[in-house]
Amino acid sequence: MFKKILIANRGEIALRVIRTCREMGIKTVAVYSTADSESLHVKFADEAVCIGRPASSESYLNIPNIMAAMEITNSDAVHPGYGFLAENAKFASICNDSGVKFIGPTADMINKMGDKITAKETMVKAGVPVVPGGESLLESVEEAKGLAKEIGYPVILKATAGGGGKGMRIVWDESEIEKAYDTAKMEAAASFKNDGIYMEKFVEEPRHIEIQVAGDQFGNVCHMSERDCSIQRRHQKLVEESPSPFMTDELRHAMGEAAKKAAAAIGYESVGTVEFLVDKHRNFYFMEMNTRIQVEHCVTEEVINFDLIKEQIKIAMGEKISGDDYFPHMHSIECRINAEDPFNDFRPSPGKITTLHVPGGHGVRVDSHVYAGYTISPYYDSMIGKLITIARTRKEAIDTMYRALSEYVIEGVKTTIPFHLQLMKDESFIKGDFNTKFLETFQLKK
Ligand code: MV4
């Protein structure tokens, strides 16, 4: 049983973890940078320790300072949230070596999924469908040419150390391959200090559908159904929902079983997410596994009525999961409210929130760390909060979302609210007719 958990994060996810800890009777420690001394996570936690200057590298990514904070507060576990150190294998192993339980998978599991070609190899062995193409690193441009001919253009080059869309190159025909190979390799080396790249068939206009999973220390795994995250812009998700409007019972069963195989293949322990590309024929392919709690976990919590953070903590304490799979009983949509100007290429808009009115009422959940007078720092991501609606049907969840967005008043900074208001009235969105390319052509009206 954990007595005290240190939360190595900030913002809404730090608050989210503190809330569950309170309910479980576990004491909490917040860590904060000098830019966050007025943040709510600092005020809501039982204790708080300043860990450095505003730049993430000097605070939320500063492992020695975080270890020192655990030491002086006598914390017995650490929750990494998402981002920052959540998928840092070195941090996970340092914690466990220091006798502080990392609330997440082991360093070995993080590494197995962090290297994309290793992950793909593991999935092939486990019988999880992967995108046709190379199952090993490319050794030369000649090999790349030969392989592309075999699988057929278009193909995509990806960095093995990448993920989340960084360092990808789509190649439409042979005339482009040499240049694409060289730039992909150079970008990979520069971004990840690892120039390994591999090739896949390029799946055109796919949906991004991910399956929430959980595994315990006893080898049990379960799935918790899907989230549709196809509404993204430059690999930044803006809207997520569960269930996916594209889902069928048959596909959910097949993807759920594949996700469980993926988790079981590495003996996965904790909550996690298996991401798939789904083509228009409902073929699905393993993309990557996120070995952390995700921003959009809330829509799953709402449709299966289940606290995923509580489950994550219980698994870390050595408890068994029920072993049952979970299926959606409601429909839930999440809109990310960012301090960005949707009329100006979603440019970040940090600054002070002068006026704030938060929506409420039936079917509305708001996960946010801001208050009137709060200053959104330019040092961190621009998320102000997440607006989540829950209803019996997708149509009602959209209607509730439109109503809640209309109530939301945030003054002082530009926000993504006007974008979401228009999206909720978009005919294709309402029909559930969208894929990952949707926002490339979505026209925001002035
Ligand atoms: C792909 C793909 C098409 N075909 N792989 C983007 C994030 C990274 N995890 C992998 N990504 C993609 N991989 C093949 N073989 C298209 C994407 C992709 C994408 C995926 C999910 C959500 C949004 C996307 C936007 C552009 C490209």
Side-chain angles (χ1 to χ4, degrees):
M1 181 63 192
F2 299 146
K3 287 198 183 71
K4 196 189 272 187
I5 293 176
L6 182 140
I7 298 119
N9 215 300
R10 63 182 299 284
E12 71 86 19
I13 193 63
L15 271 186
R16 170 73 191 83
V17 174
I18 291 169
R19 285 179 168 139
T20 286
C21 287
R22 272 269 148 78
E23 292 176 17
M24 296 176 82
I26 301 171
K27 290 265 188 288
T28 55
V29 180
V31 292
Y32 63 99
S33 74
T34 52
D36 278 340
S37 56
E38 301 303 312
S39 279
L40 278 191
H41 76 284
V42 174
K43 298 177 200 199
F44 275 35
D46 295 299
E47 295 171 69
V49 182
C50 182
I51 50 164
R53 300 206 295 185
S56 299
S57 58
E58 295 186 41
S59 49
Y60 300 105
L61 291 172
N62 186 327
I63 297 176
N65 287 11
I66 294 170
M67 298 313 297
M70 297 202 224
E71 177 78 34
I72 61 173
T73 56
N74 205 18
S75 300
D76 34 32
V78 56
H79 196 298
Y82 50 69
F84 297 125
L85 297 169
E87 290 174 288
N88 186 311
K90 201 173 119 205
F91 180 62
S93 68
I94 291 171
C95 290
N96 293 334
D97 290 349
S98 314
V100 181
K101 176 71 186 167
F102 178 82
I103 301 174
T106 63
D108 179 58
M109 297 169 199
I110 296 173
N111 282 327
K112 281 192 172 125
M113 288 300 180
D115 185 74
K116 302 308 166 192
I117 204 74
T118 307
K120 203 172 173 184
E121 272 167 20
T122 310
M123 293 308 117
V124 172
K125 281 197 197 118
V128 178
V130 300
V131 186
E135 266 122 53
S136 57
L137 293 178
L138 294 170
E139 299 292 345
S140 67
V141 70
E142 286 71 36
E143 186 194 345
K145 265 186 199 164
L147 187 57
K149 225 174 217 143
E150 237 174 81
I151 40 187
Y153 289 92
V155 297
I156 184 167
L157 298 173
K158 296 184 176 180
T160 191
K166 269 182 286 178
M168 300 186 326
R169 273 280 173 292
I170 302 164
V171 192
W172 294 94
D173 63 64
E174 196 175 281
S175 71
E176 297 173 341
I177 193 132
E178 203 157 326
K179 193 169 164 227
Y181 180 89
D182 290 340
T183 44
K185 229 174 157 53
M186 266 173 25
E187 265 183 34
S191 311
F192 313 113
K193 297 187 195 120
N194 174 349
D195 73 352
I197 57 168
Y198 63 102
M199 181 186 291
E200 285 180 347
K201 177 81 187 163
F202 179 62
V203 182
E204 293 182 64
E205 305 192 355
R207 278 161 218 259
H208 172 141
I209 301 180
E210 55 188 35
I211 306 286
Q212 178 71 52
V213 295
D216 65 19
Q217 297 172 20
F218 309 94
N220 306 300
V221 293
C222 73
H223 79 73
M224 292 149 156
S225 298
E226 79 282 5
R227 294 184 286 264
D228 195 316
C229 305
S230 300
I231 304 292
Q232 350 191 323
R233 191 183 165 277
R234 300 194 186 153
H235 306 295
Q236 285 291 114
K237 294 168 185 166
L238 277 160
V239 178
E240 305 97 347
E241 64 178 309
S242 184
S244 167
F246 195 61
M247 196 47 71
T248 63
D249 288 344
E250 198 186 344
L251 181 62
R252 179 176 296 114
H253 179 77
M255 290 180 71
E257 292 305 311
K260 285 199 282 182
K261 272 191 206 166
I266 61 163
Y268 192 71
E269 171 203 327
S270 192
V271 300
T273 299
V274 184
E275 295 185 344
F276 293 96
L277 287 172
V278 183
D279 72 15
K280 57 174 181 277
H281 308 295
R282 292 195 171 79
N283 297 308
F284 62 89
Y285 309 100
F286 173 83
M287 191 160 46
E288 44 196 74
M289 180 168 183
N290 299 319
T291 55
R292 61 168 190 273
I293 193 78
Q294 286 184 282
V295 175
E296 62 270 27
H297 73 278
C298 313
V299 295
T300 300
E301 295 191 317
E302 296 305 327
V303 299
I304 67 173
N305 192 21
F306 191 90
D307 182 334
L308 285 170
I309 301 285
K310 187 181 282 179
E311 189 72 350
Q312 192 183 23
I313 293 170
K314 281 161 66 175
I315 291 168
M317 293 194 298
E319 286 191 29
K320 279 197 170 95
I321 63 169
S322 75
D324 299 334
D325 296 327
Y326 294 77
F327 295 90
H329 294 286
M330 298 293 276
H331 198 101
S332 182
I333 302 179
E334 171 178 286
C335 288
R336 294 196 192 186
I337 311 302
N338 299 336
E340 294 170 359
D341 182 0
F343 298 104
N344 208 336
D345 206 31
F346 289 81
R347 184 198 301 188
S349 174
K352 189 173 183 154
I353 295 175
T354 52
T355 309
L356 181 70
H357 175 80
V358 178
H362 184 60
V364 176
R365 167 176 171 180
V366 178
D367 276 25
S368 171
H369 60 294
V370 309
Y371 50 86
Y374 179 85
T375 299
I376 295 156
S377 163
Y379 285 98
Y380 313 110
D381 79 44
S382 58
M383 200 164 72
I384 296 173
K386 306 181 298 200
L387 175 56
I388 301 128
T389 62
I390 309 102
R392 290 193 180 275
T393 65
R394 183 166 189 270
K395 163 106 182 28
E396 292 171 299
I398 293 172
D399 291 343
T400 302
M401 184 61 80
Y402 188 85
R403 184 274 291 173
L405 286 162
S406 313
E407 280 179 25
Y408 220 151
V409 180
I410 302 173
E411 284 174 356
V413 298
K414 302 275 201 319
T415 78
T416 48
I417 292 171
F419 161 82
H420 290 300
L421 279 167
Q422 288 189 32
L423 183 69
M424 294 304 131
K425 293 289 184 196
D426 182 89
E427 208 180 307
S428 298
F429 178 76
I430 291 169
K431 280 197 283 190
D433 177 19
F434 54 77
N435 60 53
T436 53
K437 289 189 70 146
F438 180 81
L439 289 188
E440 288 179 24
T441 52
F442 181 73
Q443 283 296 328
L444 201 64
K445 293 179 221 65
K446 287 269 171 189

